[in-house]
Every structure is written in C-alpha cells, then in structure tokens.
C-alpha cells in the first residue's frame, strides 16, 4: 500500500557541500526527513525501475531514516534498493557500490566528522550515478523543491530487516542487503599490492589504526587484520557506536590526540592513522612524525606509481584552493596537470570523470583517487602502506627525502568555531571590500603581491563558482586564505589557512615559521577584533 502524505515545507533544507546537515532534533521534526528525501526524488528524473543505494555511518538516527528512505524509494518507483547490512556503508564504500552496481544514485546518511548522538548532528546527502556528491545544479533543484513540497509518497512496509544479508521484496521493490565491507575490500585489493603489505606486517611492522568508534572499524578490521595480517588489536575503537563513544570523530591533532601521543611516545608503532565518522578522511602520523594532509597528498602523488593500481602514472593532480601548494611541485616534476578547485569534494568529480586528474586532496585530511568519487580514508592509509612496503624505508625517511627534493610548504589552519554569524560575515565583507587596496602594501615585513576572492571556472563543464575564499598572496610565495565553513551546524566557523614555502630550511617549527604570517593575517583581516577571540578554537 502506497500512501500520499500531505506536508508543509521547511525553509532551512539547503544542502551544502556535504548535503543537508542539522542537529538530530531538527531531523526528528514531523516529516522533516521525509520532506527532504521526497525533494531529492522530485529533483531527479528517469529513475523508475532503477537502483538506489542507501547506507550511512551508523550514527544516531541512521536506522530510522534508512527505514523511511526504503519505504519512500519503493513508493516513488525505484526498482531496487541496495542497503548496507545494519544500515552501514562508509562514504567511499557507498560511492563504490553505486559505481560497481551501476545504480542510479545513492543516499548517504552522515554528518561526517561532526559528533553524533540524540543532540548532535545528522545528515543526508545525495550522490549521483558516478558515485560522487550531486553537483550544484541538482542540490539547487532539491532546495527549490523543499520550499514548495506539498506531499510525499511512502509505502506501508512495516519494519524492514536490514540486519541480515539477503534479497527480498518490499512493496514491489527489491531490497538487497549487502555486506558493507566486501565490495570495498575487493576494490582495495585490486589497487594495492596486498602481498607486499602482508610481507611488511609479517616482518614485524607495527601499526595503529584508530577508527574512533565510527564507520571504518569493520573495514579496518577486515582489511588490515584479516586480509593483511596486521596484529590483532591494530584497529582500535573499531566498534561503530551511535554516539562515537561521546567523542568527536574528527581525525585531527585535537580529537585524535591520544594517537598523536602514542606515535610520539617511546613505544610508538611504525605507522599510525585514523579516520573520521563516515570514513572519508584520514590522519597520518608515523613514528615520531605527523604528516600534514597537504604534504601527505604530495607524497602519495609522488609515489603512487609504486602501487599496482597507479603504475601507469598519474593523469593529473587536483587540490582544493586552501590546500598547500606542495602537490603542485610534484605535478610540475611529473609533467602532469595541476588543478586548483574550491573547497569540497564535489568539484573533483568532473576532473576525475574527464580523466584529467587521478589523485585529489584537501588540507582537511581528505585524499582520494579516481577509484571512487569521494575522498577515501582507508585508501590513503593503504597507499601509504604500499609505498612503505615497496620503498622499505620509514615514513619519516620518505617525508624528509620528499622535502629535500621539493622544498617544504609550512602550513597550518586556524579555526574559529561557533563565532557569531553576523560578525563573521562582516569580517569577510570588509576584507572583500579592501582587496583592491592591498596590493603593494607591506605588513610585518611582508609585501602583498596579489589579493582576490577565489572564483573557479570548471574546465570540464564551464560552470563558474564565485566567492570560494579570499586569498592574500605575498612576495616570496607565502599566503593566507580566509573562508567561512559550509559544514558547521551552529554559528559560523571562520577558517584561516596560512602557508610559507622554504626551499632549504626544512626543520623549522611550523607555528613559529608561520608566526609573522599569522600576525599579518590578523592585521589585514581583523580576526581578533571581529570574532572577539584572542586565539583559534582548533589549530591543525
Ligand atoms: C570542510 C572541509 C572541506 C571538506 C568538507 C567536507 O568543509 O574544509 O575541505 O570538503 O568539510 O568534508 P568546510 O567546513 O570548510 O566548508
Ligand atoms: Zn567525512
């Protein structure tokens, strides 16, 4: 039985760079999730009889929304739903399943690295048939629909069993409950030299992987311990919990400090890594050395040919604008294209689909390749392991040799979280207004070479995305970038990104090396005065 339920619109359902993200109580309002899901379906065309993939990172409210989504997919005419057992699919695994089974698209339920629980965050994102996040054209159409929606369709299915791997029929639609790990593990095995990595572990190599009680736990257990022979216990906090154990599943130096401390400690394993709530981010800390994400991207790109999946070399490298220029130097040496995109993974999709880029990355701990259309935390970890296994050097040696060859881009991001939104917007608009007057001015010994508001011209579809972050570039190659986060759920988050390139001075302390630049950014943008803060909430 299919019901048409009358509803009234909510006005706050604008999907951002990572879909619709709100606090759980907002999502729990009457028809809130249903309105959004119906709006997604209404914004799409031609899916009758086709397949929809559904899965999430297991956070609080995941199971409820999966039930609704299955019943609504049946009522709206999808032919089949593929859902991860227990409602689980990491974001990169969902992307893979969409691609592998040629699905029409997928609903990915997650709020990524944001905390989970009854009062924390939830999210719904729609991914298209290439496995990647929906482009702006579709998210705009979804948003328009949410403002006009009058009814939604839902099948009366009763509770559907998503906990047993099996195929069955629900209201005339096929439901295929799949093992969430298997397809992903097979994909990884096709890209990397599992034999070489197995030999590395068999030789006594020790590793720590912190799943932060989020979705990558089952993936890491299966791939690292079962398939690659890493010691039992290599994967820590591997049981996905609805509230991530009360922690913030964001793999950075603040929220994964225990991993950092262990890796800097006397009995540190050889290699350490962590991933976020939905498994698309990665943090790499080797014994005694933190590898900043922008550097990790550059090092992976420089060595990717050592893994079977990339032995033909890279077609190009893409990075988000605020990500450091370390990868640019690798692209230059390899003689391949380098693309600078706005923040957010969706901008990489066209470049990957067009075969212009093979590896992409963001400073926010996201790295990935053309194997899926999302960033992929475990993929980055496995590529590192493959490189370590082939080069037979430590991660520290690899990093130091890399810097000796290419120079070093000292880099840091300062986040001011939960800032008053009006104050944050004022800061950005005042800075924007004075961009033209900055050129040639000297601040703390640094001369401004260029200042602009980044606009991206997509080389594939010609679309233009404006206001993607304000850049101030100084003579000598230093720069800072200011932009407002598109993923925070309370107040505004102001991000300041600072970068300084050094050809030969390779062992400076990062924050010290950047101190003048940070001061100059404050002088120019008035960060302290606008935010009323005298220091950032998080430094990475
Ligand atoms: C943040 C990161 C960005 C990433 C996004 C989704 O977005 O900065 O690189 O793509 O999360 O994981 P922001 O909050 O800065 O808009
Ligand atoms: Zn994520």
């Amino acid at each position: 039985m299919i019901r048409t339920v009358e509803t009234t619109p909510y006005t706050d359902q604008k999907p951002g760079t990572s879909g619709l993200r709100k606090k759980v109580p907002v999502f729990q309002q009457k028809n809130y999730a249903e309105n959004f899901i119906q709006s997604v379906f209404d914004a799409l065309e031609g899916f009758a009889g086709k397949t929809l993939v559904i899965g999430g990172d297991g956070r609080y409210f995941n199971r409820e929304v999966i039930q609704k989504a299955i019943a609504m997919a049946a009522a709206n005419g999808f032919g089949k739903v593929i859902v991860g057992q227990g409602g689980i699919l990491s974001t990169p695994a969902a992307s893979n399943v969409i691609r592998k089974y040629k699905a029409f698209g997928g609903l990915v339920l997650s709020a990524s690295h944001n905390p989970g629980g009854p009062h924390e965050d939830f999210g719904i994102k729609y991914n298209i048939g290439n496995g990647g996040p929906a482009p702006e054209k579709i998210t705009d159409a979804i948003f328009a629909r949410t403002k006009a929606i009058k009814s939604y369709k839902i099948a009366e299915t009763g509770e559907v069993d998503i906990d047993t791997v099996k195929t069955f029929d629900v209201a005339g639609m096929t439901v295929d409950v799949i093992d969430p790990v298997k397809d992903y593990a097979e994909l990884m095995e096709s890209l990397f030299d599992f034999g070489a990595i197995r030999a590395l572990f068999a030789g006594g190599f020790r590793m720590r992987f912190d799943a932060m009680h989020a979705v990558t736990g089952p993936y890491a257990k299966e791939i690292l311990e079962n398939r690659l022979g890493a010691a039992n216990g290599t994967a820590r906090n591997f049981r996905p919990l609805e509230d991530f154990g009360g922690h913030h599943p964001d793999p950075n130096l603040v929220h994964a400090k225990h991993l950092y401390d262990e890796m800097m400690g006397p009995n540190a394993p050889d290699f350490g890594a962590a991933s976020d709530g939905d498994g698309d981010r990665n943090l790499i800390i080797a014994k005694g050395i933190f590898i900043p994400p922008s550097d990790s991207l550059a090092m992976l790109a420089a060595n990717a040919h050592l893994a079977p999946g990339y032995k033909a070399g890279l077609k190009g490298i893409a990075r988000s604008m605020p990500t450091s220029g370390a990868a640019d130097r690798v692209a230059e040496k390899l003689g391949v294209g380098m693309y600078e995109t706005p923040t957010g993974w969706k901008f990489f999709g066209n470049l990957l689909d067009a075969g212009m880029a093979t590896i992409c990355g963001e400073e926010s701990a996201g790295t990935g390749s053309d194997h899926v259309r999302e960033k992929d935390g475990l993929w980055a970890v496995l590529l590192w392991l493959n490189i370590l296994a082939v080069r037979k050097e430590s991660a520290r040696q690899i990093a130091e040799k890399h810097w000796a060859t290419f120079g070093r881009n000292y880099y840091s991001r300062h986040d001011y979280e939960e800032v008053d939104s009006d104050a944050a917007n004022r800061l950005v608009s005042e800075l924007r207004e004075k961009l033209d007057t900055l050129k040639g001015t000297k601040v703390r010994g640094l001369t401004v070479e260029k200042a602009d508001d980044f606009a991206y011209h997509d080389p594939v579809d010609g679309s233009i995305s404006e206001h993607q972050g304000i850049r101030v570039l100084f003579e000598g190659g230093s720069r800072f970038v200011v932009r407002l986060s598109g993923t925070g759920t309370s107040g505004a988050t102001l991000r300041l990104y600072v970068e300084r390139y050094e050809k030969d001075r390779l062992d400076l302390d990062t924050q010290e090396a950047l101190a003048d630049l940070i001061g100059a950014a404050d002088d120019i943008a008035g960060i302290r005065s606008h935010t009323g803060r005298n220091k950032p909430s998080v430094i990475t």
Side-chain angles (χ1 to χ4, degrees):
M1 243 277 278
I2 288 169
R3 278 196 304 141
T4 300
V5 182
E6 285 185 18
T7 186
T8 46
Y10 288 91
T11 52
D12 62 344
Q13 298 196 317
K14 187 175 172 55
T17 43
S18 312
L20 179 66
R21 282 216 194 144
K22 297 285 171 193
K23 295 282 174 206
V24 167
V26 174
F27 263 106
Q28 286 170 327
Q29 296 173 91
K30 188 162 191 242
N31 298 339
Y32 194 88
E34 289 88 340
N35 276 15
F36 188 73
I37 294 168
Q38 185 66 52
S39 299
V40 170
F41 295 161
D42 288 350
L44 305 174
E45 267 168 34
F47 58 76
K50 304 244 165 90
T51 300
L52 180 72
V53 172
I54 306 178
D57 63 10
R59 68 179 58 225
Y60 189 87
F61 211 45
N62 194 45
R63 299 181 74 94
E64 285 85 341
V65 175
I66 285 185
Q67 291 291 336
K68 293 180 205 281
I70 292 173
M72 290 180 67
N76 278 273
F78 277 95
K80 181 175 175 177
V81 154
I82 299 178
V83 58
Q85 185 182 19
I88 294 287
L89 276 179
S90 78
T91 294
S95 183
N96 177 45
V97 170
I98 294 171
R99 295 166 66 78
K100 181 167 178 178
Y101 298 105
K102 305 204 168 16
F104 186 85
L107 291 173
V108 183
L109 313 179
S110 166
S112 188
H113 51 288
N114 292 0
H119 301 287
E120 300 296 350
D121 291 354
F122 189 77
I124 305 181
K125 175 164 94 161
Y126 178 69
N127 281 25
I128 58 176
N130 76 351
E136 234 149 77
K137 201 172 72 186
I138 294 181
T139 54
D140 286 349
I142 295 171
F143 183 44
R145 225 16 240 160
T146 63
K147 291 188 285 191
I149 188 165
K150 292 200 175 69
S151 65
Y152 63 85
K153 281 194 254 171
I154 189 158
E156 281 176 351
T157 58
E159 169 123 357
V160 174
D161 176 14
I162 56 170
D163 293 306
T164 321
V165 173
K166 62 175 181 200
T167 303
F168 52 100
D169 186 276
V170 163
M173 180 186 79
T174 304
V175 174
D176 201 359
V177 180
I178 60 163
D179 176 341
V181 176
K182 193 168 158 281
D183 294 301
Y184 180 82
E186 280 170 14
L187 176 64
M188 293 301 114
E189 212 152 350
S190 75
L191 296 174
F192 301 119
D193 186 345
F194 272 35
I197 304 174
R198 225 176 275 127
L200 179 73
F201 282 120
F205 183 89
R206 288 192 307 135
M207 169 176 184
R208 171 72 72 204
F209 180 86
D210 196 328
M212 303 185 89
H213 288 304
V215 81
T216 48
Y219 295 84
K221 266 266 163 208
E222 170 63 18
I223 295 172
L224 298 175
E225 298 185 12
N226 298 345
R227 298 197 184 203
L228 292 171
N232 191 12
T234 295
R236 185 169 53 191
N237 298 328
F238 64 89
R239 250 182 267 286
L241 300 176
E242 288 198 330
D243 66 349
F244 308 120
H247 300 299
H248 201 135
D250 189 354
N252 62 28
L253 296 182
V254 175
H255 299 301
K257 187 166 182 308
H258 48 279
L259 177 66
Y260 180 85
D261 291 343
E262 181 181 8
M263 297 308 298
M264 298 299 147
N267 190 30
D270 299 289
F271 191 70
S275 194
D276 73 329
D278 63 331
D280 56 1
R281 294 188 177 198
N282 70 89
L283 172 74
I284 303 291
I285 313 178
K287 185 180 194 156
I289 185 171
F290 162 60
I291 314 271
S294 296
D295 284 327
S296 179
L297 170 66
M299 292 168 193
L300 291 178
N303 293 285
H305 61 279
L306 300 176
Y310 306 92
K311 66 172 186 296
L314 307 181
K315 293 173 183 147
I317 306 173
R319 65 163 172 84
S320 66
M321 182 274 282
T323 303
S324 97
D328 304 26
R329 297 170 193 283
V330 176
E332 199 186 332
K333 184 164 178 218
L334 296 176
V336 299
M338 177 74 222
Y339 304 92
E340 192 177 31
T341 61
T343 294
W345 205 260
K346 66 182 176 190
F347 293 99
F348 295 135
N350 279 348
L351 296 170
L352 295 168
D353 282 350
M356 294 163 79
T358 305
I359 283 191
C360 312
E362 295 192 275
E363 49 67 40
S364 53
T367 331
S369 86
D370 57 1
H371 68 292
V372 288
R373 291 296 179 274
E374 290 279 1
K375 54 194 178 237
D376 188 345
L378 264 172
W379 169 89
V381 173
L382 291 166
L383 180 50
W384 262 105
L385 289 173
N386 197 145
I387 293 165
L388 292 166
V390 174
R391 285 188 51 166
K392 302 190 181 356
E393 291 170 298
S394 70
R396 174 185 275 281
Q397 285 167 324
I398 290 173
E400 285 173 352
K401 284 189 185 169
H402 184 95
W403 290 326
T405 308
F406 295 97
R408 184 166 175 184
N409 293 66
Y410 290 96
Y411 183 87
S412 183
R413 186 177 97 184
H414 290 198
D415 294 330
Y416 295 79
E417 292 174 348
E418 297 187 36
V419 169
D420 175 68
S421 295
D422 292 337
N425 288 324
R426 254 194 318 273
L427 183 155
V428 172
S429 56
E430 284 176 21
L431 182 57
R432 194 172 281 141
E433 269 159 36
K434 68 177 181 197
L435 286 177
D436 292 339
T437 64
L438 288 176
K439 193 177 165 166
T441 55
K442 204 165 179 174
V443 190
R444 302 204 187 200
L446 296 157
T447 307
V448 178
E449 189 175 84
K450 188 181 158 195
D452 70 0
D453 192 353
F454 181 62
Y456 179 60
H457 298 247
D458 189 308
V460 180
D461 66 16
S463 62
I464 298 177
S465 306
E466 292 180 299
H467 306 305
Q468 299 295 327
I470 294 178
R471 319 185 268 193
V472 178
L473 292 88
F474 297 94
E475 285 174 6
S478 296
R479 65 165 187 165
F480 75 82
V481 174
V482 171
R483 62 176 282 280
L484 296 180
S485 155
T487 61
T489 49
S490 42
T493 296
L494 179 81
R495 304 203 195 283
L496 167 70
Y497 312 79
V498 280
E499 174 179 2
R500 165 178 160 191
Y501 176 70
E502 284 290 337
K503 179 91 199 74
D504 304 307
R505 299 169 67 195
L506 304 178
D507 51 8
L508 303 176
D509 172 83
T510 298
Q511 295 303 320
E512 278 171 27
L514 297 171
D516 282 343
L517 203 49
I518 293 165
D522 192 38
D523 290 350
I524 293 174
I527 295 171
R528 289 173 190 225
S529 58
H530 278 97
T531 62
R533 308 274 175 86
N534 59 13
K535 63 172 180 18
S537 334
V538 181
I539 295 182
T540 44

